[in-house]
Amino acid sequence: QKEVEQDPGPLSVPEGAIVSLNCTYSNSAFQYFMWYRQYSRKGPELLMYTYSSGNKEDGRFTAQVDKSSKYISLFIRDSQPSDSATYLCAMSAENAGGTSYGKLTFGQGTILTVHP
Amino acid sequence: SAVISQKPSRDICQRGTSLTIQCQVDSQVTMMFWYRQQPGQSLTLIATANQGSEATYESGFVIDKFPISRPNLTFSTLTVSNMSPEDSSIYLCSVRRGPGTEAFFGQGTRLTVV
């Protein structure tokens, strides 16, 4: 079993739809959770960064973390064709001096297409 | 945020040769990492580049194949040695200013080995 499982998609939605992207994880040491957007032939771009359980909103994006269920989500409201990309969840544990210090573990990515 | 410059952006190399990828950050950072993204796949950590000491490699990656240097807090190199077609991937540099901070990525180096 992988440490991080991401709904693989692909997803195809009409413009204006609400998109829900999800990841589950098994490592209870994960404390920091990130969502990245990656356009074709580009590096990952950080969208959202959260710590601990709860919601965080930034414009059309909302990140949700439920540590008790080991489940994170990214919601995109009023989706636009420019949101078409691969979305990656990532998480990290910060045990100083441990082998996991600072490194990110990624989900498999979800390809999203928003059509006009 | 951090501005990360990776060079080259892409290259096509002959098998058996080596390629060195450079990563330059616009300010000092505590942590630098090298990831690999194989075609259609997610990112896998190769190693943590430690300033002034040997890199820390993840399982499945060895120093002889992926030697890494980090001479200071703004610069690192990754060499892909004795390349084979299986090394064709995107190689990404990532930085974090410290524990519990965001991780930023360069634009990647797209390597094709023929």
Side-chain angles (χ1 to χ4, degrees), chain B residues 31-65:
Chain B
M31 304 175 179
M32 294 183 79
F33 305 90
W34 288 97
Y35 288 82
R36 182 174 74 181
Q37 187 174 28
Q38 294 180 300
Q41 303 295 314
S42 190
L43 283 74
T44 300
L45 181 65
I46 297 172
T48 302
N50 300 310
Q51 193 262 330
S53 64
E54 194 171 286
T56 304
Y57 290 84
E58 296 298 303
S59 176
F61 298 96
V62 295
I63 188 171
D64 289 346
K65 176 67 176 177

Side-chain angles (χ1 to χ4, degrees), chain A residues 29-99:
Chain A
F30 287 142
Q31 301 171 290
Y32 296 90
F33 305 92
M34 287 150 258
W35 285 96
Y36 289 87
R37 176 174 63 193
Q38 187 175 26
Y39 292 114
S40 179
R41 300 180 180 275
K42 297 290 187 182
E45 171 194 8
L46 182 64
L47 282 177
M48 300 290 282
Y49 175 71
T50 55
Y51 169 72
S52 76
S53 290
N55 292 353
K56 181 177 181 180
E57 189 173 319
D58 184 0
R60 296 185 296 111
F61 299 93
T62 299
Q64 197 171 78
V65 174
D66 182 347
K67 292 186 74 176
S68 63
S69 300
K70 297 188 178 67
Y71 187 89
I72 69 171
S73 297
L74 177 71
F75 298 96
I76 307 174
R77 292 182 298 281
D78 187 24
S79 56
Q80 302 295 310
S82 58
D83 294 327
S84 298
T86 298
Y87 288 81
L88 297 153
C89 66
M91 40 200 84
S92 70
E94 304 295 328
N95 49 329
T99 57

Side-chain angles (χ1 to χ4, degrees), chain A residues 2-6 23-25 30 89 91 105-108:
Chain A
K2 295 182 179 180
E3 278 191 297
V4 179
E5 297 276 1
Q6 182 170 355
C23 290
T24 59
Y25 62 95
F30 287 142
C89 66
M91 40 200 84
T105 301
F106 282 84
Q108 301 94 307

Side-chain angles (χ1 to χ4, degrees), chain B residues 14-99:
Chain B
Q14 297 292 321
R15 66 176 68 202
T17 63
S18 298
L19 176 71
T20 295
I21 303 168
Q22 298 181 358
C23 178
Q24 178 75 54
V25 192
D26 66 337
S27 57
Q28 293 184 349
V29 292
T30 303
M31 304 175 179
M32 294 183 79
F33 305 90
W34 288 97
Y35 288 82
R36 182 174 74 181
Q37 187 174 28
Q38 294 180 300
Q41 303 295 314
S42 190
L43 283 74
T44 300
L45 181 65
I46 297 172
T48 302
N50 300 310
Q51 193 262 330
S53 64
E54 194 171 286
T56 304
Y57 290 84
E58 296 298 303
S59 176
F61 298 96
V62 295
I63 188 171
D64 289 346
K65 176 67 176 177
F66 298 101
I68 288 171
S69 78
R70 189 178 173 192
N72 56 51
L73 294 177
T74 64
F75 185 78
S76 177
T77 66
L78 167 74
T79 298
V80 186
S81 303
N82 188 25
M83 289 183 284
S84 67
E86 291 71 33
D87 295 319
S88 298
S89 288
I90 300 172
Y91 292 86
L92 292 149
C93 172
S94 176
V95 304
R96 300 180 76 176
R97 297 204 180 282

